[in-house]
Amino acid sequence: MLKGALIGCGFFAINQLHAWRDIAGEGGAAIVALCDRDAARLAQVAAQFGIARTYTDAAAMLDAEELDFVDICTTAPSHRALVELVASHKLPVICQKPLAPTLEEAEAIVTACEKAGVPLMVHENFRWQSAIRAVRGVIDSGRIGSVFWGRVSFRSAFDVFSGQPYLAEGERFILEDLGVHALDVARFLLGDVSKLTATTKRVNPRIKGEDVATALMEHEGGVTGIMDCSYASKLEEELFPQTLVEIDGTEGSIRLGAGYRLTVTDADGTEYRDVSPPLLPWAERPWHNIQESVLAIQKHWVQSLNGGAQLETSGTDNLKTLRLVEACYHSAATGLPVEPAAL
Ligand code: NAD
Ligand code: 89Y
């Protein structure tokens, strides 16, 4: 069984710790030590998960513990220092999205891990949701022919600020926080992006950053893509945190609609499937699709450390997603198309 430590015991880490406990139950990996600079929070989470070895200082933990990997679940400003620290101990590292506040810092993180020769996985989990994997499965089956158009859409008015107050405080909001997932899903389903144009808007006057963004993308294989996300959309039915997908191919189409309804039309007609995520024993609606994807990505990590899988959401891969985020901000600021590879 692999031994891991987790740094950052805040809002989202609870999901990761539940998933690690499931994975430990299967003999894959266990979290043996916890770190948070907030001693009270650390004690509370350690008690909740029965983890005895705790530290308020990451360096002290890494000096004291015998580990196989480290999972970092702090917010972006702390990522570079923490990943570099873990890499200096020659340990494989998982880091939450967004990998860093700037592309330059993200590149430095990836370089540090490369130089240390340690695997780096970004906890970029939306593409691991079973509904998104189901869409990809249909594309790969060839049933809808050659894909020529797609849309990845996330529209909501869910109050994310009460659980994650820092989201209201940054100059950047939705593209950095949520668009990073939607753009990664667009890459996963439609391919890498050669050029994009984007707009952003702030609708909610109580936050600092943009809460609406739309991107028109030219994907490398010739597909036209749209990514749109909003936390200012008051809809009849609140769909948080569902990502909706539309894909058109030469022989048919795919729609991932509200309520995880998958509609596939091909030469033989239309098929409807319920691709709802399983409700894990520790999961809570409406977060259950995200929670399920946390378990999936962490299982992927263990499989990859054991030599059974190529890391899909590696740091190097994630730089391509972060270039799309950055390209959207550049395009929105200048009104011009941007080639992400040139950033
Ligand atoms: P949070 O502020 O609730 O928790 C972060 C914790 O890290 C805090 O307890 C803080 O004390 C601790 N911390 C910060 N720097 C530290 C350091 N240097 N050493 C030790 N402890 C340190 O944040 P959160 O809402 O849990 O978000 C964490 C990350 O998870 C963010 O990057 C966020 O974007 C991401 N997130 C991802 C998803 C997803 O679906 N992938 C969902 C929500 C949040
Ligand atoms: O931080 C975000 C994420 O990664 O998924 C949803 C979220 O919690 C709020 O936008």
Side-chain angles (χ1 to χ4, degrees), residues 6-18 41 45 49 73:
L6 183 138
I7 305 174
C9 302
F11 170 78
F12 200 70
I14 302 304
N15 297 314
Q16 296 183 199
L17 287 166
H18 275 296
R41 179 71 189 169
V45 175
F49 289 92
C73 190

PDB file of all heavy atoms in Angstrom, residues 6-18 41 45 49 73:
ATOM      1  N   LEU A   6      -1.175  14.547   2.993  1.00  0.00           N
ATOM      2  CA  LEU A   6      -1.988  15.602   2.369  1.00  0.00           C
ATOM      3  C   LEU A   6      -1.694  16.937   3.035  1.00  0.00           C
ATOM      4  O   LEU A   6      -1.663  17.025   4.264  1.00  0.00           O
ATOM      5  CB  LEU A   6      -3.469  15.240   2.481  1.00  0.00           C
ATOM      6  CG  LEU A   6      -4.436  16.224   1.801  1.00  0.00           C
ATOM      7  CD1 LEU A   6      -5.531  15.490   1.048  1.00  0.00           C
ATOM      8  CD2 LEU A   6      -5.064  17.160   2.824  1.00  0.00           C
ATOM      9  N   ILE A   7      -1.489  17.953   2.189  1.00  0.00           N
ATOM     10  CA  ILE A   7      -1.241  19.313   2.699  1.00  0.00           C
ATOM     11  C   ILE A   7      -2.434  20.188   2.333  1.00  0.00           C
ATOM     12  O   ILE A   7      -2.801  20.285   1.154  1.00  0.00           O
ATOM     13  CB  ILE A   7       0.040  19.921   2.082  1.00  0.00           C
ATOM     14  CG1 ILE A   7       1.248  19.010   2.311  1.00  0.00           C
ATOM     15  CG2 ILE A   7       0.292  21.323   2.654  1.00  0.00           C
ATOM     16  CD1 ILE A   7       2.533  19.478   1.612  1.00  0.00           C
ATOM     17  N   GLY A   8      -3.037  20.822   3.320  1.00  0.00           N
ATOM     18  CA  GLY A   8      -4.184  21.707   3.080  1.00  0.00           C
ATOM     19  C   GLY A   8      -5.477  20.991   3.406  1.00  0.00           C
ATOM     20  O   GLY A   8      -6.034  20.278   2.561  1.00  0.00           O
ATOM     21  N   CYS A   9      -5.955  21.175   4.639  1.00  0.00           N
ATOM     22  CA  CYS A   9      -7.135  20.418   5.112  1.00  0.00           C
ATOM     23  C   CYS A   9      -8.388  21.297   5.103  1.00  0.00           C
ATOM     24  O   CYS A   9      -9.163  21.294   6.069  1.00  0.00           O
ATOM     25  CB  CYS A   9      -6.882  19.899   6.524  1.00  0.00           C
ATOM     26  SG  CYS A   9      -5.431  18.857   6.639  1.00  0.00           S
ATOM     27  N   GLY A  10      -8.590  22.037   4.028  1.00  0.00           N
ATOM     28  CA  GLY A  10      -9.723  22.970   3.981  1.00  0.00           C
ATOM     29  C   GLY A  10     -10.981  22.364   3.398  1.00  0.00           C
ATOM     30  O   GLY A  10     -11.228  21.152   3.491  1.00  0.00           O
ATOM     31  N   PHE A  11     -11.771  23.234   2.770  1.00  0.00           N
ATOM     32  CA  PHE A  11     -13.082  22.880   2.223  1.00  0.00           C
ATOM     33  C   PHE A  11     -13.046  21.647   1.309  1.00  0.00           C
ATOM     34  O   PHE A  11     -13.782  20.685   1.504  1.00  0.00           O
ATOM     35  CB  PHE A  11     -13.591  24.107   1.445  1.00  0.00           C
ATOM     36  CG  PHE A  11     -14.809  23.878   0.618  1.00  0.00           C
ATOM     37  CD1 PHE A  11     -16.060  23.831   1.203  1.00  0.00           C
ATOM     38  CD2 PHE A  11     -14.706  23.716  -0.765  1.00  0.00           C
ATOM     39  CE1 PHE A  11     -17.196  23.621   0.424  1.00  0.00           C
ATOM     40  CE2 PHE A  11     -15.825  23.509  -1.528  1.00  0.00           C
ATOM     41  CZ  PHE A  11     -17.071  23.458  -0.934  1.00  0.00           C
ATOM     42  N   PHE A  12     -12.160  21.655   0.322  1.00  0.00           N
ATOM     43  CA  PHE A  12     -12.221  20.585  -0.684  1.00  0.00           C
ATOM     44  C   PHE A  12     -11.475  19.318  -0.257  1.00  0.00           C
ATOM     45  O   PHE A  12     -11.800  18.214  -0.718  1.00  0.00           O
ATOM     46  CB  PHE A  12     -11.689  21.069  -2.039  1.00  0.00           C
ATOM     47  CG  PHE A  12     -12.182  20.202  -3.163  1.00  0.00           C
ATOM     48  CD1 PHE A  12     -13.517  20.218  -3.532  1.00  0.00           C
ATOM     49  CD2 PHE A  12     -11.336  19.321  -3.807  1.00  0.00           C
ATOM     50  CE1 PHE A  12     -14.003  19.386  -4.533  1.00  0.00           C
ATOM     51  CE2 PHE A  12     -11.813  18.484  -4.819  1.00  0.00           C
ATOM     52  CZ  PHE A  12     -13.147  18.526  -5.183  1.00  0.00           C
ATOM     53  N   ALA A  13     -10.522  19.461   0.637  1.00  0.00           N
ATOM     54  CA  ALA A  13      -9.705  18.303   1.048  1.00  0.00           C
ATOM     55  C   ALA A  13     -10.555  17.189   1.647  1.00  0.00           C
ATOM     56  O   ALA A  13     -10.180  16.010   1.578  1.00  0.00           O
ATOM     57  CB  ALA A  13      -8.652  18.761   2.052  1.00  0.00           C
ATOM     58  N   ILE A  14     -11.682  17.557   2.211  1.00  0.00           N
ATOM     59  CA  ILE A  14     -12.550  16.537   2.819  1.00  0.00           C
ATOM     60  C   ILE A  14     -12.943  15.495   1.766  1.00  0.00           C
ATOM     61  O   ILE A  14     -12.954  14.287   2.042  1.00  0.00           O
ATOM     62  CB  ILE A  14     -13.810  17.209   3.429  1.00  0.00           C
ATOM     63  CG1 ILE A  14     -13.393  18.256   4.486  1.00  0.00           C
ATOM     64  CG2 ILE A  14     -14.781  16.179   4.010  1.00  0.00           C
ATOM     65  CD1 ILE A  14     -12.514  17.728   5.612  1.00  0.00           C
ATOM     66  N   ASN A  15     -13.232  15.959   0.556  1.00  0.00           N
ATOM     67  CA  ASN A  15     -13.574  15.017  -0.520  1.00  0.00           C
ATOM     68  C   ASN A  15     -12.387  14.109  -0.835  1.00  0.00           C
ATOM     69  O   ASN A  15     -12.545  12.903  -1.023  1.00  0.00           O
ATOM     70  CB  ASN A  15     -13.970  15.789  -1.786  1.00  0.00           C
ATOM     71  CG  ASN A  15     -15.209  16.629  -1.550  1.00  0.00           C
ATOM     72  OD1 ASN A  15     -16.186  16.149  -0.969  1.00  0.00           O
ATOM     73  ND2 ASN A  15     -15.176  17.878  -1.974  1.00  0.00           N
ATOM     74  N   GLN A  16     -11.217  14.712  -0.911  1.00  0.00           N
ATOM     75  CA  GLN A  16     -10.032  13.921  -1.255  1.00  0.00           C
ATOM     76  C   GLN A  16      -9.744  12.892  -0.161  1.00  0.00           C
ATOM     77  O   GLN A  16      -9.382  11.752  -0.455  1.00  0.00           O
ATOM     78  CB  GLN A  16      -8.840  14.852  -1.499  1.00  0.00           C
ATOM     79  CG  GLN A  16      -9.113  15.736  -2.697  1.00  0.00           C
ATOM     80  CD  GLN A  16      -7.989  16.671  -3.100  1.00  0.00           C
ATOM     81  OE1 GLN A  16      -8.242  17.629  -3.792  1.00  0.00           O
ATOM     82  NE2 GLN A  16      -6.769  16.415  -2.694  1.00  0.00           N
ATOM     83  N   LEU A  17      -9.938  13.298   1.082  1.00  0.00           N
ATOM     84  CA  LEU A  17      -9.661  12.354   2.186  1.00  0.00           C
ATOM     85  C   LEU A  17     -10.681  11.214   2.207  1.00  0.00           C
ATOM     86  O   LEU A  17     -10.324  10.062   2.474  1.00  0.00           O
ATOM     87  CB  LEU A  17      -9.630  13.111   3.517  1.00  0.00           C
ATOM     88  CG  LEU A  17      -8.362  13.966   3.686  1.00  0.00           C
ATOM     89  CD1 LEU A  17      -8.508  14.960   4.838  1.00  0.00           C
ATOM     90  CD2 LEU A  17      -7.132  13.069   3.910  1.00  0.00           C
ATOM     91  N   HIS A  18     -11.945  11.518   1.908  1.00  0.00           N
ATOM     92  CA  HIS A  18     -12.933  10.428   1.794  1.00  0.00           C
ATOM     93  C   HIS A  18     -12.517   9.457   0.687  1.00  0.00           C
ATOM     94  O   HIS A  18     -12.576   8.233   0.861  1.00  0.00           O
ATOM     95  CB  HIS A  18     -14.319  10.999   1.460  1.00  0.00           C
ATOM     96  CG  HIS A  18     -15.089  11.437   2.662  1.00  0.00           C
ATOM     97  ND1 HIS A  18     -15.500  10.549   3.646  1.00  0.00           N
ATOM     98  CD2 HIS A  18     -15.560  12.640   3.036  1.00  0.00           C
ATOM     99  CE1 HIS A  18     -16.184  11.214   4.571  1.00  0.00           C
ATOM    100  NE2 HIS A  18     -16.231  12.480   4.235  1.00  0.00           N
ATOM    101  N   ARG A  41      -7.984  23.722  12.420  1.00  0.00           N
ATOM    102  CA  ARG A  41      -8.547  22.995  11.268  1.00  0.00           C
ATOM    103  C   ARG A  41      -7.870  21.625  11.128  1.00  0.00           C
ATOM    104  O   ARG A  41      -8.520  20.604  10.870  1.00  0.00           O
ATOM    105  CB  ARG A  41      -8.338  23.849  10.005  1.00  0.00           C
ATOM    106  CG  ARG A  41      -8.838  23.237   8.735  1.00  0.00           C
ATOM    107  CD  ARG A  41     -10.338  23.211   8.667  1.00  0.00           C
ATOM    108  NE  ARG A  41     -10.802  22.428   7.525  1.00  0.00           N
ATOM    109  CZ  ARG A  41     -12.048  22.054   7.339  1.00  0.00           C
ATOM    110  NH1 ARG A  41     -12.988  22.397   8.198  1.00  0.00           N
ATOM    111  NH2 ARG A  41     -12.396  21.350   6.290  1.00  0.00           N
ATOM    112  N   VAL A  45      -9.824  17.960  11.243  1.00  0.00           N
ATOM    113  CA  VAL A  45      -9.832  17.018  10.107  1.00  0.00           C
ATOM    114  C   VAL A  45      -9.106  15.718  10.482  1.00  0.00           C
ATOM    115  O   VAL A  45      -9.540  14.618  10.106  1.00  0.00           O
ATOM    116  CB  VAL A  45      -9.221  17.696   8.855  1.00  0.00           C
ATOM    117  CG1 VAL A  45      -9.090  16.715   7.700  1.00  0.00           C
ATOM    118  CG2 VAL A  45     -10.089  18.886   8.449  1.00  0.00           C
ATOM    119  N   PHE A  49     -10.871  11.957  10.304  1.00  0.00           N
ATOM    120  CA  PHE A  49     -10.391  10.829   9.489  1.00  0.00           C
ATOM    121  C   PHE A  49      -9.457   9.882  10.256  1.00  0.00           C
ATOM    122  O   PHE A  49      -8.897   8.965   9.668  1.00  0.00           O
ATOM    123  CB  PHE A  49      -9.724  11.356   8.207  1.00  0.00           C
ATOM    124  CG  PHE A  49     -10.736  11.928   7.245  1.00  0.00           C
ATOM    125  CD1 PHE A  49     -11.051  13.267   7.278  1.00  0.00           C
ATOM    126  CD2 PHE A  49     -11.431  11.111   6.368  1.00  0.00           C
ATOM    127  CE1 PHE A  49     -12.019  13.798   6.431  1.00  0.00           C
ATOM    128  CE2 PHE A  49     -12.399  11.621   5.518  1.00  0.00           C
ATOM    129  CZ  PHE A  49     -12.697  12.974   5.548  1.00  0.00           C
ATOM    130  N   CYS A  73      -3.617  20.197  -1.421  1.00  0.00           N
ATOM    131  CA  CYS A  73      -4.967  20.725  -1.627  1.00  0.00           C
ATOM    132  C   CYS A  73      -5.105  22.102  -0.973  1.00  0.00           C
ATOM    133  O   CYS A  73      -6.059  22.373  -0.234  1.00  0.00           O
ATOM    134  CB  CYS A  73      -6.012  19.747  -1.081  1.00  0.00           C
ATOM    135  SG  CYS A  73      -7.690  20.211  -1.582  1.00  0.00           S
TER     136      CYS A  73
END
